[in-house]
Amino acid sequence: MSKEEIGSYYRFYGARHSILKLGHLIDFEIDDTDRRYLPRLRSLSHMGFPWLFDHNRVLIWHNFIRLFKPHLQDAQALEPFYFELLLEYAKKWHKQNPKRLVCEAYISLLEFEGRVYNQSRCYICNQPTNDSISLIRGLKQVHPECVYSPTLYKIKFERFFELQKTLYMEESEVEIIYDVVMKGL
Ligand SMILES: [Zn+2]
């Protein structure tokens, strides 16, 4: 992914070491001299972040970034928002619990795409929700009885939505939201 597009490139693994991994920020040139094949990446250089040697942070980064491909696959041209969002979060990925950052980044994405569902009504049955809610894809509120999934306090969830920060949420609540995001953007 670059600012304007998601590219599929062929990486020539001639070298014994491979530095290209999913979700790494790289600087490259594209070699498309042979049109029969996917363009090759040339002059690859890797832009490092301090968290790249932290296994858990890298894992959560991969889990997050892999959601973008299915989400954006039909987009011909990309808004710079997506690249900038990922860059912004990559820069602070080592500073906070990355699952919290995933939740916060996702709110920005929903807002950017005009998909915020901030109604206190169940998305499934359209009746008002109560103090305890569950969430479905897109962080839409539903009754716990209408789906089979973990519950959250509505008041805390709505605060998270409003502040776009997970500051007041317990780790267990962050886990619940993170798991919903992992179902797809
Ligand atoms: Zn319902």
Side-chain angles (χ1 to χ4, degrees), residues 71-125:
H71 183 64
L72 298 172
Q73 67 184 355
D74 296 327
Q76 295 295 319
L78 267 194
E79 297 280 349
F81 169 83
Y82 298 97
F83 181 87
E84 279 158 11
L85 181 80
L86 290 174
L87 186 59
E88 177 195 339
Y89 278 84
K91 285 178 181 166
K92 58 184 179 187
W93 206 248
H94 60 293
K95 291 181 182 163
Q96 271 189 63
N97 174 348
K99 289 188 177 177
R100 288 183 181 269
L101 294 173
V102 166
C103 298
E104 293 171 8
Y106 188 50
I107 295 272
S108 308
L109 186 144
L110 287 177
E111 197 166 64
F112 175 76
E113 295 182 347
R115 294 197 290 131
V116 170
Y117 180 84
N118 56 3
Q119 299 179 44
S120 292
R121 304 185 82 81
C122 172
Y123 190 75
I124 293 176
C125 73

Side-chain angles (χ1 to χ4, degrees), residues 12-97:
F12 182 58
Y13 284 100
R16 198 170 279 256
H17 58 282
S18 113
I19 57 168
L20 184 60
K21 284 186 181 163
L22 180 69
H24 280 191
L25 184 64
I26 53 171
D27 200 7
F28 58 89
E29 293 169 16
I30 295 163
D31 175 359
D32 58 356
T33 45
D34 190 340
R35 291 281 178 180
R36 287 173 303 166
Y37 301 105
L38 278 176
R40 281 182 185 179
L41 295 184
R42 271 197 325 189
S43 310
L44 202 64
S45 66
H46 191 211
M47 297 155 86
F49 290 106
W51 47 268
L52 283 174
F53 298 100
D54 180 332
H55 181 71
N56 186 48
R57 282 179 203 273
V58 170
L59 189 73
I60 294 167
W61 179 256
H62 283 179
N63 288 344
F64 182 44
I65 206 158
R66 75 156 61 100
L67 302 173
F68 282 80
K69 194 171 180 224
H71 183 64
L72 298 172
Q73 67 184 355
D74 296 327
Q76 295 295 319
L78 267 194
E79 297 280 349
F81 169 83
Y82 298 97
F83 181 87
E84 279 158 11
L85 181 80
L86 290 174
L87 186 59
E88 177 195 339
Y89 278 84
K91 285 178 181 166
K92 58 184 179 187
W93 206 248
H94 60 293
K95 291 181 182 163
Q96 271 189 63
N97 174 348

